[in-house]
Amino acid sequence: MPRPFLDPNFIAEETSAKLAFSGNRLDRLCEEREANCLEKALADRTARGFGFTRGRVLIDFTNGTPRGLFTLDELQKFRPKLDRTVLLGFDGEAPRLAVPLGINPDDENCVLPEGVKAIDYRSIAAQSLLGENEMGQMAQGAAYLAWHSSARFCGRCGAATVVQDGGIKRYCSSCERETFPRTDPVVIMLIIRGDKCLLGRSPHFPPGVYSALAGFIEAGETIETAVRRETFEESGIRIGKVSYQASQPWPFPHTLMIGCLGEALEEEIIKDDGELEDCRWFSRDEMRAILEGKGSINSAGEQEFFLPPKMAIANRLIVDWVKSK
């Protein structure tokens, strides 16, 4: 097997490597897979897999330390769909798998073994239930399985497609078209003007939470153009210089968050009411106070503003900006 292409010495200081879902160190060997690579992986006694069911992953708390990787024998009791399993890659020589399960944790007749729970991806990251490497592998598996569930038929001719090369592509025998797992790029930008940053509040956010503006990159756009367009559409503010900061895989369902800083050319906000409930400037001192839990207090005696959780790239963009001065 070829030596790993990732050298931890080069990525240790990258901001991206410090974000949730970004720690995947598997060798995927996508260009070197044989047609029967999944069958070989399933027969390998060193293989370990994540058990996926309805947007959740099995976590075993039996020994005190949360565990997300199971042997294939351990997964048998959860009705694994081995024909839909995806070979994620290799940890050294050991295969790592994403295994969809036939159980439904919401069914009252579904009783999980003592110590085992089915937990959603966001909660796993927010509670740091898995190590960085396993968290990244889990995100990869979630994205692959979500793509497979929506790509069962050919987008060109409508015929059924089949999985090939351990789940890293699908093939249409009718028109001979190959399709590959998709990643949806999203820009998320902290807009700066002097000693202030621009944050918005979406109606679906938890009470009091403000975050960096964000939006999908459209066809034919550069990252910089998408930052400027989305900021203008949501806040009415024009942007000059744009600089890339970090990126984060985001398995909801298969997104890549591209974090940037943008320099505002003006201050007047013309909010898009269809996108945002509120949009406003925060000073660096306000941000620092919010991070320390000493932000503005509302009439109920509670802190008025909150930031996204530490697992989110928006939090990292804000924290790094606050600490930069």
Side-chain angles (χ1 to χ4, degrees):
M1 182 175 294
R3 58 193 177 93
F5 74 97
L6 281 174
D7 185 336
N9 294 322
F10 289 104
I11 62 176
E13 298 305 315
E14 290 178 351
T15 300
S16 300
K18 302 172 185 176
L19 298 169
F21 306 123
S22 301
N24 193 345
R25 302 291 176 261
L26 291 181
D27 242 339
R28 305 189 186 202
L29 298 179
C30 294
E31 301 299 324
E32 303 174 32
R33 295 191 178 193
E34 301 174 343
N36 64 341
C37 61
L38 177 59
E39 288 74 13
K40 285 186 175 181
L42 291 173
D44 191 325
R45 299 301 299 176
T46 68
R48 298 292 183 272
F50 297 92
F52 289 85
T53 173
R54 298 175 179 261
R56 283 166 277 188
V57 168
L58 295 185
I59 302 292
D60 182 3
F61 295 88
T62 311
N63 294 323
T65 300
R67 176 174 66 99
L69 285 170
F70 293 74
T71 67
L72 295 181
D73 287 342
E74 289 176 316
L75 289 175
Q76 284 301 318
K77 63 175 69 74
F78 305 105
R79 306 208 310 271
K81 301 177 181 179
L82 298 181
D83 59 325
R84 300 184 187 179
T85 292
V86 174
L87 173 60
L88 301 175
F90 295 83
D91 187 352
E93 300 286 335
R96 292 292 179 261
L97 306 164
V99 185
L101 306 175
I103 62 169
N104 178 5
D106 296 323
D107 189 331
E108 61 181 13
N109 295 318
C110 178
V111 179
L112 297 176
E114 184 176 356
V116 176
K117 297 182 179 180
I119 304 178
D120 66 277
Y121 317 142
R122 195 181 301 269
S123 296
I124 290 173
Q127 299 174 51
S128 300
L129 296 181
L130 299 177
E132 294 178 358
N133 195 356
E134 287 191 13
M135 195 93 72
Q137 296 172 27
M138 181 197 73
Q140 179 192 353
Y144 270 50
L145 293 178
W147 173 73
H148 278 294
S149 69
S150 62
R152 294 181 297 117
F153 297 92
C154 179
R156 177 189 291 164
C157 71
T161 59
V162 295
V163 178
Q164 290 188 340
D165 296 351
I168 61 171
K169 71 177 181 181
R170 299 185 73 97
Y171 176 73
C172 175
S173 59
S174 177
C175 69
E176 301 184 338
R177 179 174 183 250
E178 292 181 335
T179 55
F180 298 86
R182 62 178 292 171
T183 295
D184 299 327
V186 170
V187 287
I188 180 163
M189 47 277 180
L190 187 64
I191 305 306
I192 306 300
R193 184 166 174 82
D195 212 38
K196 296 182 291 187
C197 70
L198 182 72
L199 300 180
R201 171 169 171 75
S202 172
H204 68 267
F205 285 177
V209 172
Y210 281 70
S211 185
L213 305 185
F216 286 96
I217 297 178
E218 295 185 357
E221 277 191 320
T222 64
I223 292 172
E224 293 84 354
T225 300
V227 166
R228 296 184 180 107
R229 175 185 55 77
E230 282 289 344
T231 301
F232 186 76
E233 289 176 356
E234 295 187 8
S235 69
I237 290 176
R238 293 176 301 144
I239 300 301
K241 182 180 178 181
V242 173
S243 60
Y244 166 80
Q245 300 295 300
S247 61
Q248 179 184 30
W250 196 242
F252 305 104
H254 31 60
T255 301
L256 178 66
M257 306 298 291
I258 303 170
C260 298
L261 293 183
E263 292 185 2
L265 300 176
E266 53 203 357
E267 289 192 22
E268 182 184 2
I269 297 172
I270 305 174
K271 178 174 63 73
D272 180 356
D273 293 332
E275 289 278 346
L276 298 176
E277 186 178 277
D278 190 25
C279 186
R280 54 161 289 178
W281 293 100
F282 289 83
S283 71
R284 196 188 303 265
D285 286 342
E286 284 182 291
M287 287 288 94
R288 187 175 290 110
I290 292 171
L291 288 169
E292 295 173 354
K294 302 174 183 177
S296 301
I297 305 299
N298 60 24
S299 58
E302 303 168 332
Q303 181 164 302
E304 188 173 5
F305 301 115
F306 300 91
L307 300 181
K310 292 182 179 180
M311 60 176 280
I313 190 172
N315 183 284
R316 171 62 63 175
L317 292 174
I318 295 169
V319 169
D320 286 352
W321 174 71
V322 169
K323 291 182 177 180
S324 66
K325 184 177 179 181

